[in-house]
Every structure is written in C-alpha cells, then in structure tokens.
Amino acid sequence: MNNSLANFRKAIYSIFLCLVFSSCFLQTQKTNDPINDANDIILKKVFSEEIIFPDYKTLKNTKEVYAEYTEGSWKGRNYTFEYDKQQRLISYKTKINDDIDTYKIEYLENGTIKQIDHMNERIDFKLKSYDTILFKRPDSLTLQVLERFGKDHVSSYNFYYDNLHQLKEMKVKSDGKENNNIKYYYENKNLKKTVSTVFDVNMNTVLTYSYTYSYNNKNEVIAYLYNSIFTFEGIKKVESSSYVVSPEEIREIGKGKKQVISYKYDQQGRKILTTDTSIYFPYKMEYTYKDF
C-alpha cells in the first residue's frame, strides 16, 4: 500500500472516530492555563484519541490513568497515561492485541512540548521500531509537528494561531500533500464553530463536516449541531444531528434519535465509566487511577 493512500485512510479513520463518538466539544472547555490547554488539544490531535484522553484538569495528585474498553467490538484494547505533578502527560501507551505503542513526551522550560519519542513493539514477531515526533515553531503563531515513517515518508500536523493565540486552523499533511484541515471560529473568545475538510490522494474533497456550539452564561457548552457532506466514488450522503450536553451525558435529540453517551465520575471528578449507545459503535470504557 502506498504511503499517501495509507495516510488518507488513517485520516478518514480518525475523522470517523470523531463522528461516531460525537465528542469534539470536549476541546472547547478552557481554563486559565493556556499552555496546558494548548498541549491538551495538540496531543489529542496528534494521537487521534480525543474521546479516550482523561481531562487533565481533574487529575490533581494523579500519577497514572488506565483506560480499557470493557464492552463492544474493541473489548480488551487498553491505554495507559502517566502524568507528572504538574498534571502534564509524560507517557502514553496503547495496547491492541500484540501491538504496543509507547510515547514519551518531553517539555521545554516554558511548559510547551519539545518532542515525543515513540516506540512500537510487535510482541508476536519480537520486533521493535523507534521514531521521534519533532515540534518546530517557525514563528510565534505556527507549530509544526513532524513524524517520519521510514526513510522518506513524513507526516505533519500544522497548527496556526491568531493574534490572541487561539487555534484558528490545523492542517494534516503527508509528504507535502494536505489530507485534511480544521478551521476554528470564535465568538467572545468561545469556540463557536469548527469546519473540517478531508481530501483524497488527488486533493478532491470527500468529506466536509462542521460542529456549531451553544453556551450558557458560564461559558459551558450545553448543545451542539453537527452537519456533514460525504462524497466518495459517486456516493453523496448529507447528515445533520443535534445534541444536548451536560457533565453526565451527551444526548442526540430529534425524531428517531437514540445515541446517548453517558459518564460516571469519582469523588474527585475523574471519569470512571463512559457508555455509548451508538448503533455504529456501542461500547463501555472504564478508567482506574493511581495517585502520587
């Protein structure tokens, strides 16, 4: 399989996960810690795991988080997160059958990410491979995250910020070709809308989708609207869905709508259980914690 096609399929897959779990609103929850907020968004995008990552803001005195699918077609897949006492992610490990990926995150003195060292281990073949994900900052409003596969293939995540240092666009590229991008629109410093576009290997648009968010007077997301247009190999599909949001659940509303994503928390506010009733990908994920 050529690298461009493989990367395109990876992009489609990551977009599909985002649509299935309908959880993109999570990245809009901001704090008074802009560096860690930015790191959180960057790591979720680079790892394509927005739905799995714990909310770092709830992890005071937490050393390790273990997450596992306990029901559904991905039952048994598990993820381990390690944090330092500043609530920064320093290690992330995924285990899917006999395939293990381990990422070690290094930070600069100002708290921004320096680089990520990656090791892939195939237990069944007793093989290990290594690469480094590099972070480059050509200017104060641009971040490039570069990952090399083999000698020639380079994948990059490119983050562009406005003068308020709000993320305004992200582009994913493979060997210089753009695979997908996300544009961010703000209102009163709240993320109001995201518009995402996915391209095929010939740079034709195959998927455009958007999320539009509604807030309460505490600047908390209480609802969002999803719209998409998918066009591929002569097939065109248009979809629209509405969701109401609370800390306990995300609920799809409208005639015949059934998807509910519900959450349970411990006394510290850390998520211990996620349940999704999606007809496409129902699952349960459980979280356990180790403290310092």
Side-chain angles (χ1 to χ4, degrees):
M1 182 186 298
N2 66 60
N3 287 325
S4 296
L5 181 58
N7 205 69
F8 168 64
R9 288 180 176 173
K10 180 182 178 182
I12 288 288
Y13 171 75
S14 64
I15 297 301
F16 170 75
L17 283 181
C18 190
L19 302 184
V20 168
F21 297 112
S22 304
S23 60
C24 288
F25 85 95
L26 293 172
Q27 67 180 329
T28 70
Q29 307 302 303
K30 296 185 290 185
T31 67
N32 293 320
D33 191 351
I35 290 179
N36 277 338
D37 285 345
N39 289 343
D40 188 54
I41 292 174
I42 291 165
L43 291 171
K44 287 175 179 177
K45 289 298 182 185
V46 170
F47 294 134
S48 300
E49 297 288 12
E50 291 185 51
I51 64 155
I52 295 171
F53 265 58
D55 181 0
Y56 82 90
K57 299 182 291 295
T58 67
L59 299 182
K60 185 177 180 180
N61 296 323
T62 302
K63 181 178 182 180
E64 182 179 294
V65 183
Y66 177 80
E68 181 175 343
Y69 285 100
T70 56
E71 291 186 17
S73 59
W74 282 4
K75 182 178 180 179
R77 292 191 181 193
N78 59 75
Y79 311 82
T80 303
F81 306 81
E82 292 184 30
Y83 294 83
D84 62 16
K85 291 187 176 181
Q86 297 172 265
Q87 297 172 238
R88 300 182 305 187
L89 183 66
I90 57 173
S91 177
Y92 169 60
K93 182 170 73 174
T94 71
K95 185 176 186 299
I96 303 174
N97 299 321
D98 290 325
D99 195 354
I100 300 175
D101 287 288
T102 302
Y103 303 86
K104 300 290 186 180
I105 299 101
E106 296 182 24
Y107 295 87
L108 297 171
E109 289 186 4
N110 64 5
T112 59
I113 301 171
K114 177 182 178 181
Q115 68 180 44
I116 301 174
D117 294 317
H118 172 219
M119 180 185 74
N120 175 259
E121 183 178 4
R122 290 295 303 270
I123 298 175
D124 47 352
F125 295 110
K126 297 181 180 180
L127 294 176
K128 291 183 180 181
S129 61
Y130 302 85
D131 67 271
T132 299
I133 303 173
L134 299 175
F135 285 65
K136 296 185 177 182
R137 296 170 173 82
D139 56 66
S140 62
L141 301 179
T142 306
L143 170 65
Q144 295 177 333
V145 184
L146 307 173
E147 185 171 14
R148 183 177 297 276
F149 301 92
K151 293 182 178 181
D152 303 315
H153 177 59
V154 176
S155 179
S156 69
Y157 293 79
N158 302 270
F159 298 87
Y160 304 93
Y161 298 85
D162 63 19
N163 290 327
L164 297 176
H165 291 277
Q166 299 172 134
L167 181 61
K168 67 177 184 179
E169 187 173 13
M170 186 199 75
K171 295 182 179 181
V172 181
K173 296 183 178 181
S174 175
D175 295 333
K177 288 188 176 181
E178 191 171 344
N179 299 122
N180 67 282
N181 67 49
I182 305 175
K183 294 183 178 180
Y184 301 79
Y185 301 91
Y186 298 86
E187 186 177 284
N188 298 324
K189 295 186 178 180
N190 285 324
L191 180 61
K192 184 64 178 176
K193 187 175 184 177
T194 64
V195 179
S196 306
T197 307
V198 179
F199 306 99
D200 66 14
V201 293
N202 296 313
M203 290 300 296
N204 298 312
T205 299
V206 294
L207 174 65
T208 301
Y209 68 98
S210 66
Y211 288 87
T212 305
Y213 306 101
S214 298
Y215 294 80
N216 61 17
N217 56 13
K218 296 180 180 179
N219 293 326
E220 299 168 332
V221 175
I222 56 172
Y224 62 91
L225 175 65
Y226 160 73
N227 289 288
S228 70
I229 301 175
F230 179 76
T231 306
F232 188 62
E233 295 183 347
I235 299 172
K236 184 175 182 179
K237 189 173 183 179
V238 180
E239 291 188 354
S240 181
S241 301
S242 298
Y243 299 84
V244 292
V245 177
S246 72
E248 291 75 28
E249 68 177 21
I250 304 171
R251 180 177 294 271
E252 189 174 8
I253 59 176
K255 185 178 180 180
K257 302 299 184 182
K258 297 180 180 179
Q259 185 180 17
V260 178
I261 308 172
S262 57
Y263 307 102
K264 291 184 179 180
Y265 305 88
D266 65 12
Q267 292 183 341
Q268 188 172 316
R270 301 178 299 192
K271 192 183 300 180
I272 58 175
L273 176 65
T274 301
T275 304
D276 192 335
T277 65
S278 168
I279 60 173
Y280 302 106
F281 193 83
Y283 75 95
K284 284 187 178 181
M285 173 165 278
E286 297 184 11
Y287 296 80
T288 56
Y289 300 87
K290 291 182 181 180
D291 297 332
F292 283 103

